[in-house]
Amino acid sequence: MLLGEKLKETRQNKGLSQSTVAEHLNISRQSISKWENNSSYPDLDNLVRLSEYYEISIDDLLKENQGLKTKIAENNFKIKDSQQKLDHIRSGHERDEGLALLIISLIGCLVTPLGILIAPIVLKRNKATNTFHRGVIVTSIVCMLINFWGVYGFLSTMFGWGVTTTVEYLG
């Protein structure tokens, strides 16, 4: 909404005529009409006096968009909600498990079959708010690869995969 439209709407809501407002400000009625038609704008002194007379802040008179007010209110709500979540995390209700998960993941690398089970659990438990979030992901993936390699090595030795056998005939 433009300033002129806002001035006209506010004046009409107060039940005042252009002549009454002009008389109060000691200016002509035509000046009020020009302001309300957006042909000209009030100077700063008259804007302050209009604000006081209409009992509305200058800020509200000058703001052109109601959508902007709505967006500001939504953003303030989002900021407040995010601040509450951050305070909740900082208050200790939600512990930072980053270091513990990193250590568990490293231990999983040492215990071959157990690491295949530990790594997915560690990944599921890991949160973006943990201090070592990315480190836990990398370590868990490396842990799974090492464990798969170890299991393959164990099974290949046990079943003789990749070993060539020679048969000699006695004769």
Side-chain angles (χ1 to χ4, degrees):
M1 182 180 294
L2 297 174
L3 176 61
E5 295 168 354
K6 185 70 173 175
L7 289 172
K8 183 176 183 177
E9 178 184 305
T10 306
R11 177 183 58 77
Q12 289 174 341
N13 287 342
K14 292 287 183 180
L16 302 170
S17 67
Q18 287 181 345
S19 300
T20 307
V21 174
E23 192 176 306
H24 178 77
L25 297 177
N26 294 323
I27 57 173
S28 68
R29 187 201 58 77
Q30 287 79 10
S31 294
I32 301 293
S33 178
K34 287 180 182 178
W35 296 345
E36 290 180 356
N37 291 325
N38 292 309
S39 299
S40 67
Y41 298 98
D43 61 4
L44 189 57
D45 293 335
N46 283 326
L47 193 60
V48 170
R49 292 169 62 195
L50 278 171
S51 168
E52 292 170 355
Y53 189 59
Y54 290 161
E55 298 173 344
I56 188 171
S57 71
I58 293 175
D59 191 40
D60 286 339
L61 278 176
L62 294 177
K63 282 191 180 172
E64 294 182 11
N65 192 346
Q66 181 61 32
L68 183 62
K69 283 185 180 182
T70 306
K71 188 70 173 170
I72 289 171
E74 288 173 6
N75 287 344
N76 286 339
F77 177 76
K78 287 179 184 177
I79 290 169
K80 186 177 179 182
D81 185 49
S82 297
Q83 187 65 41
Q84 287 175 345
K85 288 178 183 176
L86 186 61
D87 290 342
H88 178 72
I89 290 170
R90 288 183 179 161
S91 69
H93 294 322
E94 197 170 315
R95 294 185 187 154
D96 182 5
E97 300 174 328
L99 184 60
L101 292 174
L102 190 64
I103 291 170
I104 291 169
S105 185
L106 289 170
I107 291 172
C109 291
L110 302 175
V111 185
T112 299
L114 191 60
I116 294 173
L117 299 173
I118 289 176
I121 294 169
V122 167
L123 283 172
K124 184 171 171 78
R125 184 99 179 158
N126 192 23
K127 296 178 184 153
T129 56
N130 289 338
T131 50
F132 299 108
H133 174 70
R134 288 189 178 126
V136 170
I137 292 172
V138 170
T139 307
S140 295
I141 291 171
V142 169
C143 175
M144 283 193 291
L145 292 174
I146 289 172
N147 278 272
F148 283 127
W149 181 66
V151 168
Y152 173 76
F154 175 75
L155 292 175
S156 66
T157 303
M158 190 172 161
F159 293 113
W161 296 338
V163 178
T164 57
T165 57
T166 56
V167 177
E168 292 183 23
Y169 293 104
L170 300 173

